Amino acid sequence: MIKKRMLLNLDKLKIPKGKPIVFAERCKGCGLCIEYCPKQVLSFSDDYNEKGYHYPVIPPEKEGECIRCGFCRQVCPDFAIYVEDEN
Amino acid sequence: MRIGVFICHCGKNIAGVLDIKRLVEEAAKLKDVAYATDYVYLCSEPGQKEIQQKIKELELTHVVIAACSPKMHATTFARAVEEVGLNPYLLEIANIREQCSWVHHDAPEEATEKALEIIRAAVAKVSLAKPLAPITVPLTRKVLVIGGGIAGIQAALDIANGGFEVYLVERSPSLGGHMAQLSETFPTLDCSSCILTPRMVEVARHPNIHLFTYAEVKNVEGIVGQYKVTIEQKPRYVDPDKCTGCGDCAEACPVIVPNEFDQGLGARKAVYVPFPQAVPLVYTIDLEHCLNTKRLIVCEQCYHACGPKAINYLMEPKEIEIEVGAIVLATGYDLLPLEALKEYGGGIYPDVLSGLEFERLLSASGPTGGIVRRPSDGKIPKRVVFIQCAGSRDPEHGCPYCSKICCMYTAKHALLYKHAVPDGEAYVFYIDVRAAGKRYEEFVQRVMEEERIVYLRGKVSKVFQRKDKLVVWGVDTLSGMAVEIEADMVVLATAIVPSKNTADLAKLLKAPIDEFGFLNEVHPKLRPVESSAMGIYLAGAAQAPKDIPDTVSQASAAASKVLGLFSQEELSLEPIKAEVNLENCDGCAYCVDVCPFDAITLVVEEDGHKHVEVKKALCQGCGCCMATCPKEGINVAGFTLNQLKAQIHALLKEDEDD
Ligand SMILES: Cc1cc2nc3c(=O)[nH]c(=O)nc-3n(C[C@H](O)[C@H](O)[C@H](O)COP(=O)(O)OP(=O)(O)OC[C@H]3O[C@@H](n4cnc5c(N)ncnc54)[C@H](O)[C@@H]3O)c2cc1C
Ligand code: SF4
Ligand code: SF4
């Protein structure tokens, strides 16, 4: 098998990492955060919150991909999401 | 009218083939010829004196000099006749060397006949010549330098130090060119950045230099002395006046991209400087990879991280109009892409590298901090094979020429590799080693002997992968044996080619390029830094592959040409320009479109009468208009239709009246 080239200085570059924290009970399912997330980390949950809405979750395969841009927090009309710094 | 004909022997160059005596006899019989003679070397001091004396003594009104190409000595003779008061445009050169004796040395009799025809045509043409006076045009004493590699840097500094304003346009975000990518430089092994960076800083600080990085020349109009240039400044999305170069933005940016400056071997962020010593030290957002697009902002990490609030996602491209009198082209080179060298595994195997990639691995500021590592797994290679002439001297790859620097940098690479990996083995495949330069041969000898690097004379036929090794099949032509080497890394000395878009830029400037795309000089020996497009000068690897010392010398030479041009207040131009014959021109305007220099405009008088007008400064005397006009309404002075007709009739041995 022919290998690919790797980037030789990756260990020296820091990539911001975040973890979105969702207050599911506050969400009204508008989906703005899902729409805005540049890395498409978020998607709708299968189940419903108390108000009867699907809320954002991070599917297991997207774990660790958040880049802490904080856009979800900014666009959320209901203060239902924020991002914790993981670095 | 009293025409004098002077025939030169040029030693044996002409006289060894042509029957000079017969030429003199026949020339003397031609109409209006008052005198004909010959001389061993007309271009010599006594030769010129002889011409001058005869003009005065015999009151000659027109002169024909039958000798070498006018490209060679037209100016010499023009100056000589002018000194004795003859208008230099009443002189005609008949080229009986390049166009006759040299090419027909095996048929002297026919050649003599042909020479006679050439002389007869010249006499016919000169008999219709009119005295002309040079025209003067304004000269903007500012220069545009295109390309900010070492060639452009040197030329800009020399001209700026000479007291003239310089606009330096570099298309990448930083000055420096390829020299900035090099580790250490042959033959002295001084660190490339250490000698280059101070010059880059000097450019940025110089009061006479206006530096435009991340910019390109979009349009050029006009001619020598008065070019109008449009520069397009690409948006960096970072305000250069506010950016302090702290790098907080890059720290915050989540996007990782291969860094072009590291030949893609290392990574950078979407907001970046190509290398830490970049000049100017201003970050740039590469919108192609930034999470934002022109229409949607989804990430603002760098904006928030930037203390001085230099980030501006809404920046637009800017156009800057400047006027300059001369242009220096220093656009440098690229390497033949690895993908073009499939037989050596180029572009297929990750550990087959180009010379520049290897430079980045050797460089202390490179992605590995100067530790040689394989791009496939990061391991230190213990056996490296270097292949010279990879693409060069190889017509099949379109580069039959020698790239000139590879023998030297391969020796350097092998040496630096041995210093970095003392227990490693290095093999070099070469056709022959060309080390012509001051202390170059000594350098190569030292590498071969002291560093115990194995030089194998022969070509490599194939490189392929076996497990995690690269197998190199070649021949050692000295022992006549086939060789197989199992290597960890292969470095190709890939051919040097002109940098991307050189052809487009050359077209814009009407500067000719050669068959490989390098910028062409007027004369390979005597005028190596001038383009045949007047006012355009060449420097560096854009003209042909060359190393740093040659590049710097050529850049200084180009600068001295510019300084010479700028030593005049006004520019005097040859009067060989189109002239409108108002009696014949009816304003059909056919000539307007064919003029390659946009020198002709249509004028409509108040009474509705139409005719064309020539802007003398723009006209280059090419004669396209004259050839197009159906009414003999436009003529190039010194080459009028009547003169050309007379010349052709004379060649065809016809009388003009029949
Ligand atoms: C692997 C390798 C190792 C080498 N090692 C040595 C060494 O040890 N010693 C030595 O003496 N030489 C060495 N050289 C040669 C050296 O790199 C060149 O001599 C030198 O870089 C030529 O400088 P330049 O300014 O002509 O061209 P470049 O360095 O190519 O610079 C040209 C500049 O013009 C810019 N440009 C191009 N087109 C445009 C455009 N249209 N508009 C605006 N800007 C443009 C480019 O971005 C670039 O910055 C080496 C070369 C290679 C490939
Ligand atoms: S953070 Fe701001 S000031 Fe610092 S380098 Fe980036 S753009 Fe320049
Ligand atoms: S906006 Fe985000 S992705 Fe773009 S350069 Fe700035 S930090 Fe990087």
Side-chain angles (χ1 to χ4, degrees), chain B residues 145-153 169-172 174-180 182-187 189-190 192 212 215-217 330-335 354-359 405-406 408-410 412-413 440 494 496 499-502 505 539-551 554:
Chain B
V145 177
I146 308 178
I150 183 60
I153 291 175
V169 175
E170 163 58 47
R171 97 176 139 197
S172 75
S174 171
L175 280 177
H178 287 105
M179 190 175 165
L182 305 181
S183 52
E184 287 161 28
T185 51
F186 61 73
L189 296 184
D190 31 9
S192 194
F212 296 92
E216 270 181 77
V217 170
T331 49
Y333 69 93
D334 277 334
L335 294 184
S354 73
L356 276 176
E357 288 174 342
F358 199 65
E359 289 285 340
I405 53 175
C406 324
M408 287 306 294
Y409 78 61
T410 301
K412 172 186 80 174
H413 283 171
Y440 284 13
T494 33
I496 304 275
S499 73
K500 216 174 103 212
N501 300 341
T502 301
L505 188 65
Q543 182 251 350
K546 52 175 77 71
D547 56 19
I548 299 164
D550 281 0
T551 297
Q554 201 189 19

Side-chain angles (χ1 to χ4, degrees), chain A residues 1-10 12-16 36 38-39 67-69 71 74, chain B residues 251-254 256 264-267 269 291 298-299 301 348 350 352 357 361 367 375-376 465:
Chain A
M1 199 202 64
I2 298 173
K3 281 196 200 154
K4 280 231 163 90
R5 281 187 175 182
M6 51 191 252
L7 293 164
L8 292 166
N9 63 345
L10 271 191
K12 290 191 209 100
L13 294 183
K14 242 178 47 200
I15 301 173
Y36 264 83
K39 297 296 266 186
I67 55 168
R68 210 190 62 202
C69 70
F71 255 90
Q74 283 195 28
Chain B
E251 190 91 340
C253 175
I256 284 192
L265 295 173
K269 295 292 189 70
L291 296 172
V298 292
C299 172
Q301 305 238 45
I348 305 171
V352 175
E357 288 174 342
L361 291 186
S376 63
Q465 186 175 303

Side-chain angles (χ1 to χ4, degrees), chain A residues 54-77:
Chain A
H54 296 293
Y55 53 89
V57 289
I58 306 168
E61 73 274 11
K62 297 276 182 170
E63 206 73 56
E65 288 203 6
C66 167
I67 55 168
R68 210 190 62 202
C69 70
F71 255 90
C72 46
R73 191 202 59 178
Q74 283 195 28
V75 296
C76 179

Side-chain angles (χ1 to χ4, degrees), chain B residues 156-319:
Chain B
L157 283 174
D158 285 354
I159 299 166
N161 287 336
F164 296 101
E165 264 181 79
V166 180
Y167 296 91
L168 177 53
V169 175
E170 163 58 47
R171 97 176 139 197
S172 75
S174 171
L175 280 177
H178 287 105
M179 190 175 165
Q181 292 180 292
L182 305 181
S183 52
E184 287 161 28
T185 51
F186 61 73
T188 44
L189 296 184
D190 31 9
C191 136
S192 194
S193 327
C194 311
I195 52 177
L196 174 66
T197 318
R199 299 251 161 134
M200 290 161 52
V201 174
E202 204 183 328
V203 166
R205 291 220 182 112
H206 205 293
N208 282 346
I209 301 180
H210 309 276
L211 176 59
F212 296 92
T213 47
Y214 212 43
E216 270 181 77
V217 170
K218 223 179 135 191
N219 196 27
V220 178
E221 279 168 21
I223 53 141
V224 55
Q226 34 190 331
Y227 288 110
K228 280 200 175 60
V229 180
T230 313
I231 301 171
E232 186 182 68
Q233 174 85 63
K234 292 175 271 181
R236 285 179 187 262
Y237 306 104
V238 176
D239 183 341
D241 296 330
K242 290 189 187 158
C243 176
T244 60
C246 65
D248 288 351
C249 52
E251 190 91 340
C253 175
V255 179
I256 284 192
V257 202
N259 189 357
E260 305 78 358
F261 184 80
D262 285 332
Q263 298 293 120
L265 295 173
R268 59 163 172 86
K269 295 292 189 70
V271 53
Y272 70 108
V273 279
F275 53 107
Q277 301 83 2
V279 170
L281 192 59
V282 173
Y283 277 67
T284 302
I285 294 180
D286 144 22
L287 205 60
E288 202 185 313
H289 293 100
C290 168
L291 296 172
N292 299 329
T293 62
K294 271 220 147 339
R295 301 170 61 197
L296 187 65
I297 294 173
V298 292
C299 172
E300 289 179 329
Q301 305 238 45
C302 55
Y303 177 80
H304 290 301
C306 175
K309 291 281 162 272
I311 310 275
N312 172 6
Y313 300 117
L314 303 176
M315 231 178 225
E316 292 285 338
K318 246 191 350 210
E319 281 193 1

Side-chain angles (χ1 to χ4, degrees), chain B residues 428-597:
Chain B
V428 177
F429 279 95
Y430 69 102
I431 304 182
D432 42 29
V433 175
R434 300 183 166 177
K438 193 166 173 177
R439 302 205 210 301
Y440 284 13
E441 177 61 21
E442 296 91 314
F443 179 79
V444 176
Q445 285 306 328
R446 186 183 129 203
V447 170
M448 287 181 178
E449 285 156 22
E450 288 175 28
E451 306 295 338
R452 288 192 288 127
I453 283 149
V454 186
Y455 266 71
L456 295 164
R457 185 171 205 263
K459 282 214 106 173
V460 167
S461 58
K462 195 173 171 183
V463 175
F464 59 96
Q465 186 175 303
R466 185 186 292 156
K467 299 221 178 79
D468 77 334
K469 300 274 183 192
L470 290 163
V471 182
V472 180
W473 275 358
V475 276
D476 176 1
T477 50
L478 293 183
S479 66
M481 305 267 275
V483 202
E484 174 180 308
I485 301 171
E486 232 180 41
D488 298 310
M489 183 184 267
V490 171
V491 181
L492 305 180
T494 33
I496 304 275
V497 295
S499 73
K500 216 174 103 212
N501 300 341
T502 301
D504 300 334
L505 188 65
K507 201 168 158 203
L508 189 65
L509 293 162
K510 303 190 176 73
I513 51 176
D514 66 19
E515 64 265 53
F516 311 114
F518 290 105
L519 295 165
N520 233 0
E521 62 285 343
V522 182
H523 190 284
K525 289 161 221 163
L526 300 178
R527 294 173 72 189
V529 302
E530 292 160 79
S531 166
S532 60
M534 256 180 85
I536 295 182
Y537 302 92
L538 316 175
Q543 182 251 350
K546 52 175 77 71
D547 56 19
I548 299 164
D550 281 0
T551 297
V552 172
S553 323
Q554 201 189 19
S556 287
S560 81
K561 286 279 166 198
V562 172
L563 293 174
L565 182 76
F566 287 1
S567 65
Q568 329 165 60
E569 299 270 341
E570 276 185 323
L571 202 61
S572 119
L573 296 180
E574 283 249 45
I576 302 181
K577 308 279 180 194
E579 277 171 352
V580 184
N581 179 347
L582 288 174
E583 273 176 29
N584 290 359
C585 174
D586 65 1
C588 70
Y590 286 161
C591 55
V592 174
D593 289 339
V594 298
C595 175
F597 303 94

